[in-house]
Amino acid sequence: MCRPEASYNRKVTQSASSPIDADSSTWWRDSVFYQIYPRSFADGNGDGAGDLVGVRQRLDYLRDLGVDAIWLSPFYRSPMADGGYDVADPCDVDPMFGTLTDFDEMLSAAHLRGIRVTIDIVPNHFSEQHPWFQEALAAAPGSAARERFIFRDGRGAHGELPPNNWPSVFGGPAWHRVADGARTETPEAGGEQWYLHIFAPEQPDLNWANPEVPAEFERIMRFWLDRGVDGFRIDVAHSMAKPRGLPDMDQTILAAAGAGLPHHLDPRWDQDDVHDHHRGFRRILDSYPGERMAVGEAWVADDERLARYVRGDELHLTFNFKLVEAEWDATELREAIDMSLTAMRGVGSPATWVLSNHDVVRHVTRYGGGQIGLARARAAALLQLSLPGAVYIYNGDELGLPNVELPDWALQDPTWERSGHTDRGRDGERVPLPWSGSRPPFGFGAESSWLPMPPEWAALTVEAQSKDRHSTLAFYREAIARRRELRSLHTPTFEWSDHGPDVIAYRRGSILVVLNAGTTQVALPAGDIVIASEPLSAEGQLPPNAAVWLAPKG
Ligand code: NOJ
């Protein structure tokens, strides 16, 4: 539990020598954020798992890449049943990642370089190892300790059936039975109540209708805000409020979709009451100086409903996952952009563009893998970095990393076990970053990395790519630098331009962005090339799977 009196209690914003302007308003509207998956980013102590010292040591790399802010996925105390999204102590650093002092040192070192630091919070659930849940297990049904979670009696003559038919996102039922003050692996053998876990059984859902829960999250947020963090990424921001009465789901939908229920058909997400909680988060953030912000992870397909998360008194940003879901197809990409922009315009919030993260197959692989996948990924980066709004780059995007086909023995994502080895889970996009050298683990870990790295990544290391001016890393550095300089990319102006069905083109003030998603090269209007994802043809045409930013000639 977070005890603010035991925390630093220093009302820090940014250190006096920090180049960050503490009062610069709305910095988050068009920032380039860089998502760090701490276990996979950089390993400071050579044990094969990334850590906070590793992050600090690589801050110059991030400064040179040109990012404005980082988002750190969870580094809190955790048994790691879900890669740290099972938080046992939200106010302490897991020894795997270091200490609170390591965090503070990393934070001030980032601020010194002008990089803001945002961190994950996970309000939907705690780890089963959190003291609250341990207390709840030991307490009687109906007790105050159980009221912090969602415990219910089972159905059937002896309570042997789960309280409703909800599946867990990771496979299997979303309910787990308890007996004798512990979680039981064999509910049919008897026991007492069941508790809800929309994700893994090790992640009991919190009861946000109980005022103790928002009060505890206020303590958690203040603990980190007092230390000086610039904001939060809110995990499953659409999930905290549950449908009243926890009704069964429609059998036909369930039978057809199983655990992989499409988000818009799943009644557990996006309940209206969830917005009260976001308003509460916003009040906490606004009570601090320096424009502290929050971005929501809300998988809400309906644009109008997604926009509700970023109304003036709620979150600042919400990821627009439409770009993640779009195939490499001009119509789909255009629609994804159009719908996101239209939705956000309605509430006056910027759109937030993502291509990859730790939960989805990396876009190099989604777009076909190999040279084609990489070419398309580079072209997509020129879209992402030129659209109006904020950008989230996932660590490794800048190296053009693909997903890795891992051997069965290496898989750690709970989905693998819970799906009965039918869904390989998300480890393929979480393989550590290759830094240097010619053999795995490429400067990450002394001998091996927590997920094995493929030998062919020798060509993709930061060291190798830093020496090659045509590398994806050099390309990202250039694109981010140009984005920073070009004033028209920092205004809301956006206008579609028609260059044929297979071409995505739009104007951002004086800059014309053109992406060729077709199979033949396309002629470009006159203009100076600011940056191109691939060399143009000898006749100055844009090849397939490539994009360009053009400035007026002169
Ligand atoms: C979303 C996170 O991004 C994902 O990694 C995690 O498994 C779930 N939320 C549950 O916390």
Side-chain angles (χ1 to χ4, degrees), residues 75-130:
F75 48 82
Y76 312 113
R77 272 190 190 270
S78 165
M80 292 281 154
D82 179 22
Y85 282 92
D86 48 319
V87 180
D89 184 347
C91 295
D92 200 4
V93 173
D94 194 275
M96 171 195 278
F97 298 118
T99 62
L100 273 173
T101 306
D102 294 336
F103 179 84
D104 291 335
E105 287 175 3
M106 182 276 300
L107 179 69
S108 18
H111 282 168
L112 267 178
R113 288 163 177 78
I115 299 174
R116 300 192 198 245
V117 177
T118 65
I119 60 176
D120 233 298
I121 51 165
V122 189
N124 182 68
H125 42 264
F126 276 156
S127 157
E128 43 107 15
Q129 292 297 324
H130 189 284

Side-chain angles (χ1 to χ4, degrees), residues 82 85 125 170 199 203 233 235 297 358-359 426 430:
D82 179 22
Y85 282 92
H125 42 264
F170 293 152
F199 294 91
Q203 294 166 295
R233 176 262 193 186
D235 188 61
E297 185 219 18
H358 64 294
D359 291 330
R426 301 160 293 178
R430 297 176 178 179

Side-chain angles (χ1 to χ4, degrees), residues 225-399:
L225 289 164
D226 286 349
R227 297 190 103 82
V229 302
D230 299 283
F232 299 99
R233 176 262 193 186
I234 316 260
D235 188 61
V236 267
H238 54 317
S239 68
M240 290 113 79
K242 305 293 186 287
R244 300 233 163 102
L246 312 180
D248 269 340
M249 286 190 193
D250 188 302
Q251 270 302 348
T252 35
I253 297 174
L254 261 186
L261 205 55
H263 292 279
H264 66 285
L265 295 178
D266 192 326
R268 294 172 294 187
W269 309 134
D270 193 32
Q271 292 287 312
D272 287 342
D273 291 349
V274 83
H275 295 284
D276 294 340
H277 307 313
H278 293 308
R279 284 189 198 98
F281 291 158
R282 182 59 179 258
R283 280 193 294 273
I284 298 165
L285 291 163
D286 284 352
S287 71
Y288 283 78
E291 276 285 312
R292 315 296 176 99
M293 58 80 67
V295 58
E297 185 219 18
W299 288 87
V300 174
D302 181 281
D303 295 311
E304 186 273 328
R305 290 202 65 94
L306 180 67
R308 294 177 185 209
Y309 288 78
V310 283
R311 288 176 291 197
D313 57 349
E314 298 195 36
L315 305 179
H316 299 73
L317 301 172
T318 185
F319 296 118
N320 288 69
F321 289 121
K322 291 239 151 76
L323 212 47
V324 171
E325 289 169 332
E327 300 277 327
W328 184 258
D329 170 86
T331 308
E332 277 199 37
L333 291 167
R334 213 180 285 117
E335 269 176 22
I337 294 169
D338 220 10
M339 289 162 90
S340 302
L341 287 178
T342 310
M344 295 299 128
R345 210 173 285 134
V347 284
S349 283
T352 303
W353 307 103
V354 193
L355 291 169
S356 285
N357 64 32
H358 64 294
D359 291 330
V360 300
V361 172
R362 283 183 178 276
H363 54 288
V364 169
T365 304
R366 288 203 316 272
Y367 293 154
Q371 281 313 309
I372 288 209
L374 180 60
R376 290 173 174 174
R378 288 168 59 127
L382 286 191
L383 281 195
Q384 187 188 23
L385 288 164
S386 65
L387 286 166
V391 166
Y392 276 77
I393 294 173
Y394 176 47
N395 55 199
D397 284 2
E398 77 281 14
L399 302 176

